[in-house]
Amino acid sequence: MNRRSLAGRLAALAAVTATLGGCAPDGGDDGAASPVSAPPGSTAQRTPGSGGTSARTSQGTLLVTDFGADTVTFVDPAGRGAAADLGSVRVGTAPYGIALGEDGTAWVATAEGVAAVDTRTRVRTALVPHRTDTGPVTTGEYRGGGMGIALSPDGSRVYVGVNVPGGKGTLEVVDTERREVTRVVPIGRRPFDVDVSRDGRQVYATNHDSFDVSVVDTGDWTARRIEVAPYGTEGGLGSWLKPHYAAVRPSDGALLLPFEGERLAVVDPGTGRVRIEDMTANTHQHGVTAGADGTLYVVGTGPIDPSEDDGPSLTVRTPEGDERVVPLDGPHETVALSADGRTAYVSGGFTRDGYWNGLSAVDVATGRVTRLPVGERPLAVAVLGGQGTGAG
């Protein structure tokens, strides 16, 4: 395994910062290099207003957030080309994470608030405004508003991590019946991901820009900070070596956070202890999800330093730590599993430059990759009737 020193990593960062938008949040916006606005009328023609289509949606259909537009798109994973696109629904500006309820409601984090979409009739039924002041509604990598999102086990609450540009974020709690924000909890900076413990007693916000996970107790709404920085925090906001997404391990509730295709941080949310395991993909890693059997699926977005690092990939890691790395064509961001666990759907949206408008469907057994062109910078993926979402 390529064990790069922190000093070497920082040197690589300095060499490439001028050419890559990167994860380093300088308060700017990558929209100039990679426009995030949909072409005029392109989505409105399919989904006027906030409604959708009259078609019913079958299990196994995919739902992706169009970070480059104001929509979510329904996708037939068996389709090819234009046949895969089943239409879109307007939800709000620059949608990010998505969480599915057992009642068929999709909850979508946007720059404006949390949207509720009836996935059976494909209609937006609510947009719950953020209570956190995030400044003007904008698009692009560093926009304010909702990012990671998750549901409580009983479906009564939605938890959304809200980014406040230039400051610490919040965890907003949405009552799913009343459809309003009922509580706001201060957390870390730029919460890429939100996850929930199996018993619903804790919520975990993975905070990219503060090198930490906020553990929020749903009984008294206090928050604890656990630093997760296997490379240290040198470089601060300019560092690439920060956490992005987490997965909750089914066997014991540990949080699993991948870094650089080299290190897996295993976090005990009760004690705050962090243990590091080796990984092998040698690529900058973002999205992660865990299968019901504990198999981990980790998205490699591509190299920080092309002269040293490997390209985009999907790592399939067994509970015992054995890894298989499937190469991907172009950057990707998050991953979700089919209901039977045989297919991993990896989004091509990506949070910085180099994204593409589509998904890669990876046959887990064979490693065969099928590309599905769909969406406008698709970021998060959810499987209707499946195991989870691309939010972690």
Side-chain angles (χ1 to χ4, degrees):
M1 183 181 64
N2 178 15
R3 292 184 172 275
R4 288 156 282 179
S5 68
L6 178 59
R9 273 301 205 172
L10 292 174
L13 169 62
V16 300
T17 296
T19 57
L20 292 177
C23 297
D26 57 4
D29 193 321
D30 63 359
S34 301
V36 296
S37 298
S42 64
T43 55
Q45 292 174 1
R46 295 201 303 268
T47 57
S50 60
T53 71
S54 59
R56 292 282 172 170
T57 305
S58 61
Q59 284 197 349
T61 298
L62 310 180
L63 188 61
V64 301
T65 57
D66 294 316
F67 191 61
D70 58 358
T71 58
V72 292
T73 295
F74 290 83
V75 180
D76 175 6
R80 295 292 181 269
D85 189 333
L86 300 178
S88 303
V89 176
R90 291 185 182 277
V91 289
T93 303
Y96 200 98
I98 188 169
L100 284 177
E102 291 185 0
D103 64 353
T105 301
W107 299 91
V108 184
T110 81
E112 302 172 53
V114 177
V117 176
D118 186 326
T119 60
R120 294 163 299 187
T121 60
R122 303 185 202 169
V123 173
R124 191 189 79 181
T125 57
L127 179 62
V128 182
H130 294 305
R131 271 177 44 185
T132 303
D133 182 4
T134 62
V137 174
T138 61
T139 60
E141 181 179 356
Y142 306 110
R143 66 115 173 101
M147 298 187 71
I149 191 169
L151 272 165
S152 62
D154 64 3
S156 66
R157 297 168 179 158
V158 171
Y159 304 108
V160 58
V162 179
N163 179 43
V164 179
K168 291 185 177 180
T170 65
L171 182 77
E172 292 193 342
V173 183
V174 177
D175 185 299
T176 57
E177 183 176 353
R178 292 156 55 188
R179 300 196 169 189
E180 64 181 28
V181 177
T182 59
R183 192 173 297 271
V184 179
V185 181
I187 55 173
R189 299 172 64 108
R190 207 161 164 230
F192 262 55
D193 196 15
V194 173
D195 297 277
V196 182
S197 64
R198 291 169 296 176
D199 60 11
R201 295 180 180 179
Q202 293 181 329
V203 180
Y204 313 118
T206 301
N207 307 307
H208 179 269
D209 288 1
S210 47
F211 296 90
D212 59 27
V213 171
S214 296
V215 179
V216 178
D217 188 303
T218 60
D220 60 13
W221 301 108
T222 57
R224 293 183 290 112
R225 176 182 184 268
I226 300 176
E227 182 174 284
V228 187
Y231 293 89
T233 61
E234 187 176 350
L237 292 180
S239 171
W240 288 67
L241 309 177
K242 292 178 286 195
H244 293 86
Y245 300 86
V248 179
R249 186 160 60 188
S251 61
D252 60 1
L255 302 179
L256 307 176
L257 295 90
F259 288 79
E260 308 307 310
E262 293 182 330
R263 304 177 187 183
L264 180 70
V266 182
V267 181
D268 183 330
T271 65
R273 294 191 180 96
V274 181
R275 180 170 53 84
I276 304 300
E277 298 180 1
D278 291 342
M279 296 189 74
T280 61
N282 187 31
T283 186
H284 189 55
Q285 287 177 323
H286 277 208
V288 57
T289 196
D293 64 353
T295 300
L296 203 62
Y297 302 82
V298 185
V299 181
T301 68
I304 292 178
D305 182 353
S307 69
E308 186 177 338
D309 306 333
D310 293 336
S313 63
L314 178 69
T315 293
V316 181
R317 180 184 176 94
T318 70
E320 295 74 33
D322 297 324
E323 293 189 349
R324 181 163 49 92
V325 179
V326 179
L328 298 176
D329 183 9
H332 291 68
E333 182 69 20
T334 65
V335 57
L337 289 178
S338 61
D340 59 12
R342 296 179 179 177
T343 307
Y345 300 106
V346 193
S347 68
F350 203 34
T351 55
R352 56 184 176 91
D353 272 356
Y355 67 86
W356 60 284
N357 294 331
L359 307 174
S360 288
V362 180
D363 185 302
V364 173
T366 66
R368 182 174 179 269
V369 179
T370 303
R371 286 165 66 94
L372 302 175
V374 69
E376 296 280 348
R377 198 173 182 173
L379 202 62
V381 186
V383 184
L384 273 61
Q387 296 184 34
T389 74

